[in-house]
Amino acid sequence: MKPAKLNDTQYLPWHPESWINYRLIQQPEYPNQSHLFESLHILNSAETLVTEEEILLNRHYISEAAKGNIFVLQAGDCAETFDSCQYGDVIQRVTHLQDLSEIIQNILKKPVVTIGRIAGQYAKPRSEEFEIQNGFELPSYRGDIINNIEFKKNKRVPEPKRLLEAFENSKLTLNWIRKYFHENNIAFKNSRFFTSHEALLLNYESCLTRKSKISDNWFNYGAHYLWLGERTRDLNSAHIEYLRGISNPIGIKIGPKSNAQELIDIIKILNPNHIPGKINLITRIGANKVCDVLTKIIVSVNKAKTPVTWSCDPMHGNSFKTQNGIKTRDFESIFKELMDTYSLHNELGSILAGIHLELTHLNVTECLGGQKSNVTENNLLLNYQTYCDPRLNKEQSLELIHKFAKKIN
Ligand code: PEP
Ligand code: MN
């Protein structure tokens, strides 16, 4: 393994697979390497799903958001599933996101750019290697691109053919989204709708990474926007090495243990030329800690004089397990982190330009609270469907967005 210190990474040449020399975590161990290479070989020549123009337009909107001219709504499922890759389902997800954006747009009287966690959000980082149910232990579910959620030994084995299925499903999803806008007489570019997923599975991401035909830049053509997760964000990570080479806008998740100086070093690596709209910092601290932790981070980043666009993910810092062991989040904590983050930015002279939510158009009972839904610990299992983290349901997400936009207006 090569040393990957800041100074070294600046000088080592990048290519779509240079991450192989860096600290690599959260990757599946495929039992059959030749099947893996077959899948990767096919993906290497697979068609592109998004265009360079769209990616740069998304980046431009994110840069405008940093100035307060646009608001960013990034949202969708924690883990998108292959089962939900159906025309009706995709359109319902997209229309719900567009409805939420329209609410913000009407209240704030500024355009909203919608970045779906959609058309490829199939890989999940896991805090626990194993999952225990009724005394039995199996490897964790890692997203449909890797293994099957069913709690059976053979279903949890990583399968390389899922890489191809994920690609085909992403392609179908994106085609349906394009068709939907087309049928509603909205040019895709005017929809201000973009796709995103976590850049987790680096084998997959590097296959979809190609050099531009019109410039010297590299792009990931599998999604408009990619993000760096909290668990793969250390300075020596293979994930940072991969992401530093692409020109797509990049989200960086920032958890409660983040170190301000390390974050600034990461931003320097990912955006050495200070391109506006390139870096979207997504803070996900937790309602109880946000004031303590975020102040230092905001002050340091503001001092660093490099352009960033700030978003708040009020979901991931507020997860907890109920007494019955069910993973959930409470509407009030989610709203509190959002408002406290907004106020902190105001005090410190930066702008909260976007929010990042896990939500669904379905009437699920995964998060607690909400005035209309009023989900309680007792009825949490009535319609608990998520494959990974708990999502706000339709009413909860409408309520949160409405309440938030009204407050900051
Ligand atoms: C996620 O967005 O689903 C996720 C795993 O987030 P984080 O990396 O912030 O924990
Ligand atoms: Mn999640």
Side-chain angles (χ1 to χ4, degrees), residues 324 326 364-369 373-384 396:
N324 300 331
I326 305 158
V364 299
T365 54
E366 297 171 4
C367 290
L368 301 172
S373 296
N374 193 24
V375 179
T376 64
E377 288 201 18
N378 292 335
N379 56 24
L380 206 49
L381 285 183
L382 275 182
N383 195 11
Y384 194 95
Q396 288 169 329

Side-chain angles (χ1 to χ4, degrees), residues 69-85:
N69 298 334
I70 280 185
F71 195 82
V72 180
L73 172 67
Q74 184 172 24
D77 295 300
C78 176
E80 208 181 356
T81 66
F82 289 174
D83 279 350
S84 71
C85 179

